């Protein structure tokens, strides 16, 4: 196995959050700043974020209501939810086919910054994007893509048995040979 930066190895999409430990506004600002510096096609920066935290608890409750039940079980403990939204059109009105890719880069920057601050974070695809669009007045040319749960680590013994088993499981990744080819599809490293 090749060496990678420890921050990348440490990253895990945890479901454990301490509901009694809020994330300071300065920490949230640093996450957004990290996302701001992500690369994007043509430097369009087609990402937008809606932050839900204890500064506006009613909005956070509404954001939590958008989550699928299986995610709501654990994500309600996260003191911060962030809706990650892609802007799907360029300034000239043409589609930006790379907006989702660029949003993913910004999300990864945000999440790595979170890990560096000792925060857990987990992107959540299981949510009602149409409901989020209606509740938070997200324009039609933008796509609510994921919610990101953020907070300080919680205790394993306070989680459901199912979540305890998932959190205790070994992280598995496909071997590099199954995801990377050399000089053509399916070709192994020379």
């Amino acid at each position: 196995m090749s060496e990678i930066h420890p921050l990348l190895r440490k990253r895990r999409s945890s479901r454990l959050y301490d509901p009694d430990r809020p994330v300071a506004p300065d920490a949230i600002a640093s996450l957004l700043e990290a996302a701001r510096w992500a690369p994007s096609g043509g430097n369009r920066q087609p990402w937008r974020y809606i932050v839900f935290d204890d500064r506006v608890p009613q909005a956070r409750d509404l954001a939590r209501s958008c989550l699928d039940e299986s995610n709501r079980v654990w994500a309600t403990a996260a003191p911060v939810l962030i809706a990650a939204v892609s802007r799907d059109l360029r300034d000239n009105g043409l589609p930006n086919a790379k907006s989702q890719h660029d949003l993913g880069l910004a999300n990864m920057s945000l999440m790595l910054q979170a890990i560096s601050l000792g925060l857990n974070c987990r992107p959540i695809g299981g949510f009602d994007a149409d409901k989020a669009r209606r509740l938070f007045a997200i324009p039609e040319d933008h796509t609510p893509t994921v919610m990101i749960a953020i907070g300080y680590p919680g205790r394993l013994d306070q989680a459901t048995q199912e979540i305890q088993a998932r959190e205790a499981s070994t992280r598995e990744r496909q071997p590099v040979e199954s995801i990377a080819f050399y000089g053509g599809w399916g070709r192994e490293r020379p």
Side-chain angles (χ1 to χ4, degrees), residues 4 30 47 72 75 102 116 130 156:
I4 62 172
S30 77
W47 47 79
R72 205 175 307 135
D102 293 347
S116 78
D130 291 331
L156 186 62

Side-chain angles (χ1 to χ4, degrees), residues 28-171:
I28 296 169
S30 77
L31 304 180
L32 298 171
E33 184 68 15
R36 186 173 83 92
W37 283 97
S40 64
N43 196 29
R44 288 183 186 90
Q45 303 169 43
W47 47 79
R48 302 295 181 265
Y49 293 101
I50 305 173
V51 178
F52 305 101
D53 63 7
D54 58 1
R55 290 175 282 186
V56 187
Q58 303 87 347
R60 184 180 53 198
D61 290 344
L62 287 173
R64 288 173 174 163
S65 79
C66 295
L67 300 175
D68 293 352
E69 182 59 36
S70 62
N71 292 313
R72 205 175 307 135
V73 167
W74 58 267
T76 54
V80 178
L81 275 179
I82 296 180
V85 179
S86 66
R87 181 173 182 237
D88 300 328
L89 297 178
R90 299 176 182 194
D91 288 340
N92 62 8
L94 295 174
N96 181 357
K98 305 301 182 209
S99 64
Q100 294 281 306
H101 171 269
D102 293 347
L103 174 65
L105 291 170
N107 288 346
M108 188 64 171
S109 293
L110 183 151
M111 290 187 292
L112 288 174
Q113 181 69 13
I115 297 302
S116 78
L117 297 175
L119 297 165
N120 279 352
C121 55
R122 182 180 182 88
I124 306 167
F127 76 103
D128 187 334
D130 291 331
K131 182 177 180 180
R133 181 185 304 282
R134 285 190 312 274
L135 288 174
F136 306 112
I138 298 170
E140 285 299 319
D141 63 341
H142 289 64
T143 300
T145 304
V146 296
M147 294 275 206
I148 304 171
I150 299 169
Y152 288 97
R155 292 183 20 206
L156 186 62
D157 64 342
Q158 292 179 332
T160 66
Q161 288 185 342
E162 178 186 353
I163 290 173
Q164 286 181 29
R166 286 181 174 183
E167 290 292 319
S169 67
T170 303
R171 288 176 62 194

